[in-house]
Amino acid sequence: MTNKIDPYNYMKGFGNHFTSEALKDALPKGQNTPQKCPYGLYAEQLSGTAFTVDRKNNQRSWLYRIRPSVCHQPFTKLVPKFHHITNKFGIDDVHHIPNQIRWSPFKLLPENNKKTSVETNFVHGLHTLAGAGDPTTKNGLAIHIYIANVNMDNTAFYNSDGDFLIVPQYGRLDITTEFGCLMVVPNEIVVIPRGIRYSINFPDGSSRGYVLEVFGNHFELPDLGPIGANGLANPRDFLTPVASFETKECDFTIINKYAGQLFVTQQDHSPFDVVAWYGNYVPYKYDLGKFNTINSVSFDHVDPSIFTVLTSKSAFPGTAIADFVIFPPRWAVQEHTFRPPYFHRNCMSEFMGLISGVYEAKAEGFLPGGASLHSHMTPHGPDSVTFKKASNEELKPVRVADGTMSFMFESSLMLGVTEWGMSNQVHIQHDYWEAWKDLKSHFDATKEV
Ligand SMILES: [Fe+2]
């Protein structure tokens, strides 16, 4: 499975109970905590759900490591001026705006080989753009943009607040985790559940991408209902790393995101010292190009939920804290239909990003590395150029979205935009509303279609 752009090996499947050994027989046989573990390793459980969660939803892994995670000095708080993360999403903390909002591409940092360059790693390059809820009550989400240009040398990060779904847009992510290594290429995503320690390098230099953080339920595959047993993102296409470890003894920095704040500590060895592990609480990646796209083959534009890759459920049936939805290349064949996304108002918040190419419902302005937000009940739809074209085009079967990949983070919560998201460090397109201003009335009371 290894290749030039991804040198690592993986195990296949979503939600599997995996076992992986970097040294033969490093996993204890028949029990979790023998009096003495093989090779003198320590046993440590990482719980992703409460001990008492029902068996089909319970998630945990057992790690067999050179030292337990507890071997570190006390954490101290990193003052906010050294980072750009917030999880304060109250009415007075963020901007709740009923307008359509669109950001031009978030500016990449210069390459770190330039003398004028600032050095920013993944954690320090995370900028919270929007969010809702609160990680302390495990209900809500945050959307971050990362813009970074240096590796996390001898530094590891873990998140106590939520799970990160990372969408690289520019540059690969070379990720070392306690479970092994993953290389994540734009058009792939990676999910790193809370608690797992990892370090990200940027083999392609200056990089940019999007992060969806969910504080509550872990991501799962959506139910398929009448679609049947197969389709959308198929479980076999999710890849989890194999165990690998390092024995490095040096000053190692551990950064923890905890209640929306960053804390930092030191230890004298690498945390990536897990020699073997087993369990179903793991990091994983997924190639969006493997999505089995399902759509209308008769008439009408189907609701975008048909493109859901992963969902984090709320307590309300059928209502997500966050859905991760993509708009992949596909055929459009609907007859007597306005084929682009319809005009609508939604009781959910829709945050969209573009990994590559040109989005099908907007002729211009929505660019790779940029974003848009249409929050609760904010009207939106195709721009006037797209409307005119799609209302008059010949409806033969055509390819849609070839060479592109856009995505949506859709949430039942009302997203507020942070100070950074409104600041002059980003570029909000204040003329975005004009995308619809040329939509004229075609009403004629004397004419039936
Ligand atoms: Fe929408």
Side-chain angles (χ1 to χ4, degrees), residues 104-109 121-122 125-129 142-149 164-173 184-190 200 202 205-213 324 351-356 367-371 407 409 420:
S104 293
F106 302 98
K107 257 186 142 180
L108 285 159
L109 293 177
N121 70 22
F122 174 77
L126 280 169
H127 295 71
T128 310
L129 182 67
I143 295 170
H144 313 278
I145 304 296
Y146 70 83
I147 36 178
N149 60 359
F164 268 14
L165 185 160
I166 306 174
V167 184
Q169 186 273 321
Y170 190 85
R172 286 172 297 163
L173 306 174
V184 187
V185 181
N187 221 48
E188 293 181 325
I189 56 149
V190 60
I200 296 186
F202 298 112
S206 185
S207 297
R208 173 175 61 196
Y210 311 82
V211 178
L212 169 60
E213 179 184 16
F324 174 63
F351 173 88
M352 285 196 61
L354 184 58
I355 300 168
S356 58
L367 300 169
F407 68 89
F409 301 151
W420 180 76

Side-chain angles (χ1 to χ4, degrees), residues 344 346 350 374 380 408:
H344 75 132
N346 191 352
E350 299 180 15
H374 307 126
H380 57 284
M408 178 163 65

Side-chain angles (χ1 to χ4, degrees), residues 46-61:
L46 178 64
S47 293
T49 53
F51 297 138
T52 45
V53 161
D54 58 298
R55 184 176 280 256
K56 85 176 157 58
N57 291 306
N58 207 300
Q59 293 185 37
R60 60 88 185 86
S61 288

Side-chain angles (χ1 to χ4, degrees), residues 401-434:
D402 271 336
T404 87
M405 187 63 78
S406 53
F407 68 89
M408 178 163 65
F409 301 151
E410 182 166 7
S411 174
S412 58
L413 303 183
M414 194 172 270
L415 294 175
V417 180
T418 60
E419 290 298 334
W420 180 76
M422 299 298 294
S423 75
N424 58 13
Q425 295 176 59
V426 299
H427 181 243
I428 291 181
Q429 298 173 9
H430 293 291
D431 60 352
Y432 182 31
W433 65 276
E434 294 182 11

Side-chain angles (χ1 to χ4, degrees), residues 224-264:
L224 294 179
I227 291 173
N230 307 284
L232 308 187
N234 285 308
R236 66 183 299 192
D237 294 323
F238 287 78
L239 302 178
T240 284
V242 296
S244 66
F245 67 97
E246 57 190 29
T247 56
K248 203 155 60 175
E249 303 217 347
C250 63
D251 289 337
F252 217 100
T253 302
I254 309 286
I255 303 174
N256 176 212
K257 179 172 173 294
Y258 188 95
Q261 307 163 93
L262 291 189
F263 291 83
V264 65

